[in-house]
Amino acid sequence: MRRRVIFSEKGLPYLLLAPQLAITFVFFFWPAGQAIWFSFLRQDAFGIRTVFVGLENFVALFEDPLYLGAIWTTVVFSFWVTLLSMAVALGLAVAADRHIRGATTYKTLLIWPYAIAPAVAAVLWIFLVHPDIGVFGRLMNRIGIAWDYKLNGAQAMLVVILASAWNQIPYNFLFFLAGLQSIPRSVLEAAAIDGAGPQRRFWTVVFPLLSPTTFFLLVVNIVFAFFGTFGVIDALTKGGPAKATETLIYKAYIDGRVNLDLGSSSAQSVVLMLAVIVLTAIQFRFIERKVHY
Amino acid sequence: MHRRTLLAGAVLALAVTAAPASAQQRTEIQFWYALGGALGEIVQEQVKRFNESQTRYTVTATYKGSYVETMTGAIAAWRAGNPPHIVQVFEVGTATMMAAGPAIKPVHQLLAEAGITLDPKQYLGGVRGYYSDTEGRLVSMPHNSSSAVMWVNLDALEKAGVQGVPRTWREVRAAAEKIKATGAAPCAVTTAWPTWVMFEQQSAIHNVAMASKANGFGGLDTELQLTQPFFIKHVQFLLDLQRDGLFKYAGRDSAGDALFPSGECAISFNSSAGRARIEREAKFRWASVPLPYHDDVVQSPGIGVIGGASLWVLTARNRTAEEYRGVAEFFRFISRPEQDQWWHQMTGYVPITLAGYEKAKAEGYYEKNPGADAAIIQLSRAEPTPNSSGFRLGGFVEIRNIIQEELEKAFQGQQTAQQAMEAANRRGNAVLRAFERANRS
C-alpha cells in the first residue's frame, strides 16, 4: 500500500490557493473570456444594441489589406527590436564581464534605463529625434539630411525600433551578464591553454553555453515587442504616418478605444492570443530541444 | 484621566466628522473635460465661479486627457455603470453620442424636468444647429465652440515684404514664396487639425457638401463625397505647396499647435481657441483672420463651420433628480451673458450666446483686440447653408484619421491627390456603413 501525505484539514490547501486562483480568474480568464465573447458580436459604442454575428468579425479582419499590413509591420518591428536589443545587450555584457576599473558603476548605469516607463522613454526620444525641437533631429536637418519621422514612414519605424530596443537593453544585459558569470572559468582557461583566441573562445565556448539565457531572452523579447511597446508607439508616432508603425497591438487599441468598434478589436485580441499560444508552443516544443543546457 | 482623554477624543472626532457634514449637503456633480494647458485652467476657473455663485451644488471638474480619451473613457464608465454627470465631447463625436439613446439625457429634456427654461434662440445659430435634433431642440449643451482661423506672424510677413494679410489661397502662396525667399521664417505655412481645417472648414466656406444627406443630418445612410473636383483641387494645392518647400505637414490633430507660437512657421491654420496659448507664448506680433478661400471657385467666401465641444449629460441608474437639477443649473450659469463673455475673452472660443457677443462688442473688446472676432465673422458673414451646419457622421473620429492617413501617403509621394481622395472615400464609406449597421434600431 502506498503511503500518501495528506493534510488532515481538507479545506486549507484550497483556501491557500484561493487568492492566486482568484487573481488568475479575475485578471486573466474573465477578460480573455469577454474578449472571445465580444469577438462574435457587433455592438454600438455604448453596448446598447448587440447582435451575434458569428465569425463575421474574423472574416472581415482577414479580408482587410490593412490588417494584413499590420501583421507585416509587426513582424518587421519585432524582428529588429529583438535582434537589436539582444545583440547590443550581449556586446555590453561581454564588455562589462571583463575586469575593468569601476565595473560596478558601469553595470549600474547600464541598468538604469529599465526603470524608465516606455511612455517616458518615448518622450525622452522625442527630445532627441523630433525634427523641430529634437537635438539630433535639428542637427540632421542642418547637415542636409531630410529628417522628418512625422512624415517619413521608414524613419518613423527606425525611431520606434530604436526607442523600444533601448528600453529593453538593460533587461537583456542583466540576464546576459548573469549568464556569463555562471560560465565556469576552468572551461575558458582550458580553451585558452589549447590556444583558442578570445574570438574563438567566445563563439565556440561562451555563446553555446549562453544558449539557455539567449533562448529565454528570445521569447521574452518577442513578447515584449508584440505587447510591451504600446507606450512607445503611442507617444512617438501613434501608429503613423500613414500606418507605417501600426503594429497589431496598436491597431487593436485604435479600433477598440478610438474607433469604438469593440467587435473587431476583440477579434484582433483573440487572434493575438492565438498567435502567442502557438508561438510559445512552437518555441518550447521544438527550439528548446536544440538548446544546449 | 484616561476617561477624560477618551471623551475629549470622541468629541473631537465628532466635530471633525460634523464639519464636512454641512458641506456634504451640497450635491456633487462630476464633470469630465478634455482641455489641457491654459484652456484647462480656465475650465477650472469656470467651475469655481459656478460653485461660488450658489450653495446647493459642487461641480468637480476632472481633466481626462485628449478629446478621444475623454469620450471613450466616459463611454467605458457608462458601460461599467459609473459615468460622470457631464462629459465634454468634441463635435466629431456628436453623431455617436446622439445615437446613444438611453445613455444620454437630452438637454431639452433635462431643462424641462428641472423646470428651467433656456431659449434655444439665445445661442448662436451655427452653434445651436450643430447640437440640436431635427426638431430644433438642444440635445447637448454648447460649451466651447471655435472656428478655424488663419494665424499670421506679422513680424515675419513684414520682414518678407508681404503687403497686407493674405485673404485667398493664391495670396497665401504668394506670401509663402516671399517668406521662403527672404528666409523670414524657417517654415512658411503649416496647419493643425488637417481634416478639420482643410476638409470640413473648406467645404463649408466653398459651399461644397462633404457627405450626402446634408452631411449626415438627413440619415445614417449618408455617403462621403470626397472625390469631388473641389477636394482634389485643394489637396493638389497643398501637395504643390509642400513640393515647393512652402508647406510643412506637422502631423495629425493638434500636433501642429506648437509650430506657430514658437515662431517656426509664419502662417498657421488652427482653432480660434489657440489664442490663449499664443498670447502666452508668442514673442512676436501676430494676428488672426478668417480662413483663405479659392477665388477661382467662389467669388466671396461662405460661412465656416464650428468646431470644439459640447457638454453631454450621461444617465446612470442611481442618479437623483437633484443631481440632474444641479447639471441644469450649471448649464444655465454658463449661458449667462457675463459668464459667456468672460469665457469667450479668456479662451478665444466664440461666444455661445448672442447676448455674450453683444456684451463683448459693447465693451469695445474687438476694437482693443483686433482679430479676436475673426472666428465670429467667419461664422456669420454670409447666409447659412446646409454645408455650413455641421457634420453628423457616425465613426467620424475614424473618418478624420482615414483622411489624415491618406493625406500623409500623398505628402510622402506615394499617391496622387486623386488616389488619396478615392482611397479616403472608399475607406470612410466602409466606416459609415459599419456605423449604420451597428446603430440601426
Side-chain angles (χ1 to χ4, degrees):
Chain A
M1 214 179 110
R2 202 154 58 98
R3 281 191 62 193
R4 293 198 298 175
V5 182
I6 298 175
F7 290 99
S8 54
E9 180 73 54
K10 284 206 168 165
L12 186 65
Y14 292 105
L15 197 70
L16 291 175
L17 273 177
Q20 177 64 44
L21 285 176
I23 287 172
T24 313
F25 179 77
V26 171
F27 290 104
F28 294 94
F29 287 104
W30 191 41
Q34 283 238 314
I36 293 171
W37 173 235
F38 275 20
S39 71
F40 297 120
L41 304 177
R42 183 172 61 221
Q43 305 188 327
D44 68 306
F46 285 80
I48 297 164
R49 306 171 199 85
T50 303
V51 186
F52 185 84
V53 292
L55 291 172
E56 195 183 290
N57 289 324
F58 292 93
V59 174
L61 216 50
F62 286 99
E63 280 175 356
D64 183 1
L66 294 171
Y67 187 69
L68 305 178
I71 293 178
W72 179 241
T73 307
T74 310
V75 170
V76 172
F77 174 76
S78 305
F79 174 80
W80 284 109
V81 169
T82 306
L83 185 75
L84 209 63
S85 62
M86 285 180 66
V88 174
L90 180 60
L92 290 170
V94 169
D97 194 32
R98 297 213 186 109
H99 296 282
I100 47 169
R101 200 186 303 176
T104 318
T105 319
Y106 182 51
K107 286 171 199 165
T108 311
L109 286 176
L110 276 169
I111 295 162
W112 269 8
Y114 196 60
I116 300 170
V120 179
V123 173
L124 296 177
W125 277 83
I126 289 176
F127 286 116
L128 285 177
V129 298
H130 192 281
D132 301 308
I133 57 171
V135 180
F136 291 140
R138 291 174 72 108
L139 187 76
M140 269 186 281
N141 280 317
R142 202 164 301 156
I143 61 172
I145 300 169
W147 173 262
D148 187 0
Y149 76 90
K150 298 243 169 218
L151 192 54
N152 185 317
Q155 291 177 357
M157 190 56 145
L158 183 68
V159 168
V160 288
I161 288 173
L162 285 178
S164 307
W166 176 77
N167 205 222
Q168 188 66 2
I169 284 172
Y171 183 84
N172 296 345
F173 170 76
L174 267 183
F175 277 85
F176 274 132
L177 192 64
L180 286 171
Q181 286 174 346
S182 66
I183 293 172
R185 294 284 138 194
S186 53
V187 182
L188 289 170
E189 281 159 15
I193 290 166
D194 287 345
Q199 282 269 329
R200 197 178 157 111
R201 282 206 301 272
F202 178 79
W203 289 113
T204 57
V205 181
V206 174
F207 195 66
L209 283 173
L210 262 184
S211 61
T213 310
T214 314
F215 165 68
F216 164 77
L217 286 178
L218 187 70
V219 179
V220 170
N221 277 278
I222 289 177
V223 172
F224 166 80
F226 261 65
F227 297 100
T229 50
F230 171 84
V232 171
I233 293 175
D234 191 50
L236 272 168
T237 63
K238 298 208 181 298
K243 294 201 181 293
T245 55
E246 190 173 277
T247 57
L248 290 172
I249 189 85
Y250 198 75
K251 185 168 166 57
Y253 160 79
I254 289 286
D255 284 344
R257 283 284 288 172
V258 179
N259 300 337
L260 299 169
D261 184 352
L262 283 186
S264 173
S265 181
S266 302
Q268 293 176 38
S269 309
V270 171
V271 171
L272 275 172
M273 201 158 30
L274 290 175
V276 168
I277 292 170
V278 169
L279 257 178
T280 317
I282 290 177
Q283 283 178 321
F284 280 99
R285 283 254 163 141
F286 301 104
I287 304 178
E288 197 177 35
R289 282 191 200 148
K290 293 181 189 158
V291 174
H292 190 296
Y293 277 107
Chain B
M1 179 64 205
H2 241 306
R3 186 170 293 170
R4 196 179 290 170
T5 348
L6 269 179
L7 202 68
V11 169
L12 193 73
L14 262 179
V16 167
T17 44
S22 63
Q24 265 166 19
Q25 280 161 8
R26 292 173 78 111
T27 305
E28 181 118 351
I29 312 283
Q30 294 293 332
F31 169 27
W32 289 6
Y33 67 96
L35 297 171
L39 291 172
E41 289 164 27
I42 304 170
V43 172
Q44 289 291 353
E45 177 69 27
Q46 183 180 40
V47 166
K48 202 172 125 219
R49 285 168 159 240
F50 171 70
N51 290 340
E52 284 167 359
S53 75
Q54 43 75 46
T55 55
R56 284 175 67 185
Y57 310 101
T58 302
V59 174
T60 309
T62 316
Y63 176 58
K64 284 286 171 179
S66 70
Y67 276 134
V68 169
E69 286 160 356
T70 304
M71 177 173 162
T72 53
I75 290 174
W78 187 83
R79 292 179 78 130
N82 191 24
H85 298 81
I86 308 170
V87 60
Q88 182 189 32
V89 175
F90 59 165
E91 86 285 20
V92 210
T94 302
T96 302
M97 297 302 287
M98 280 199 178
I104 57 157
K105 190 181 267 289
V107 165
H108 63 84
Q109 194 186 331
L110 172 94
L111 295 173
E113 283 173 16
I116 292 173
T117 40
L118 284 178
D119 182 10
K121 293 212 172 61
Q122 68 177 302
Y123 300 100
L124 289 182
V127 176
R128 186 178 68 225
Y130 211 117
Y131 303 118
S132 294
D133 60 14
T134 41
E135 288 153 61
R137 300 175 304 185
L138 277 181
V139 183
S140 64
M141 180 69 199
H143 180 251
N144 52 312
S145 293
S146 59
S147 194
V149 293
M150 179 164 76
W151 296 93
V152 289
N153 179 333
L154 294 174
D155 286 347
L157 286 195
E158 194 180 276
K159 208 170 146 195
V162 177
Q163 303 292 322
V165 175
R167 287 177 311 112
T168 65
W169 284 109
R170 198 194 303 272
E171 288 168 15
V172 167
R173 193 188 157 96
E177 280 166 355
K178 282 189 182 161
I179 291 164
K180 190 185 179 208
T182 55
C187 134
V189 182
T190 190
T191 191
W193 300 98
T195 314
W196 183 51
V197 172
M198 297 303 172
F199 287 81
E200 295 162 38
Q201 296 291 351
Q202 290 298 321
S203 74
I205 287 173
H206 294 87
N207 198 12
V208 176
M210 205 164 107
S212 64
K213 301 251 165 179
N215 282 329
F217 276 77
L220 289 175
D221 52 343
T222 172
E223 287 186 346
L224 289 176
Q225 299 179 333
L226 295 173
T227 49
Q228 292 177 86
F230 171 74
F231 292 111
I232 293 165
K233 173 194 166 79
H234 190 60
V235 170
Q236 190 59 50
F237 173 79
L238 294 174
L239 291 178
D240 290 344
L241 271 189
Q242 188 222 18
R243 184 198 59 213
D244 299 336
L246 305 172
F247 176 81
K248 183 178 175 65
Y249 178 77
R252 298 177 193 176
D253 298 348
S254 60
D257 278 0
L259 293 182
F260 182 74
S262 71
E264 178 88 9
C265 293
I267 298 175
S268 174
F269 306 97
N270 203 344
S271 165
S272 57
R275 191 174 194 91
R277 175 174 182 174
I278 290 166
E279 230 157 43
R280 189 182 284 194
E281 293 177 16
K283 294 184 179 61
F284 48 82
R285 289 183 305 127
W286 46 268
S288 58
V289 294
L291 289 176
Y293 58 98
H294 288 287
D295 55 2
D296 52 350
V297 177
V298 288
Q299 284 178 343
S300 65
I303 70 174
V305 65
I306 61 157
S310 64
L311 305 183
W312 291 81
V313 187
L314 294 179
T315 59
R317 217 167 291 149
N318 54 358
R319 285 260 195 286
T320 62
E322 182 64 7
E323 288 171 343
Y324 283 126
R325 195 183 161 85
V327 174
E329 289 291 352
F330 178 61
F331 288 175
R332 172 151 74 178
F333 179 81
I334 62 171
S335 303
R336 284 195 202 154
E338 79 280 3
Q339 296 303 327
D340 185 30
Q341 178 203 5
W342 168 82
W343 170 258
H344 158 55
Q345 295 184 0
M346 290 295 285
T347 57
Y349 283 111
V350 298
I352 54 171
T353 64
L354 292 164
Y357 176 44
E358 293 302 332
K359 216 161 170 310
K361 202 154 67 174
E363 287 172 19
Y365 175 67
Y366 304 112
E367 278 132 48
K368 276 175 252 159
N369 297 278
D373 55 353
I376 305 167
I377 292 170
Q378 184 163 291
L379 288 171
S380 60
R381 65 188 165 196
E383 283 301 304
T385 69
N387 295 325
S388 66
S389 308
F391 302 89
R392 198 150 297 166
L393 304 175
F396 201 12
V397 181
E398 188 172 0
I399 292 173
R400 263 195 183 172
N401 279 333
I402 285 171
I403 295 175
Q404 285 174 156
E405 279 170 18
E406 297 300 336
L407 265 185
E408 281 166 359
K409 272 194 203 165
F411 281 131
Q412 287 169 353
Q414 285 189 41
Q415 59 185 2
T416 64
Q418 174 88 29
Q419 287 166 329
M421 290 302 94
E422 275 167 11
N425 210 55
R426 190 187 67 245
R427 291 176 58 199
N429 278 329
V431 173
L432 286 176
R433 292 296 72 77
F435 185 82
E436 186 186 359
R437 286 196 311 163
N439 286 281
R440 211 182 289 137
S441 39

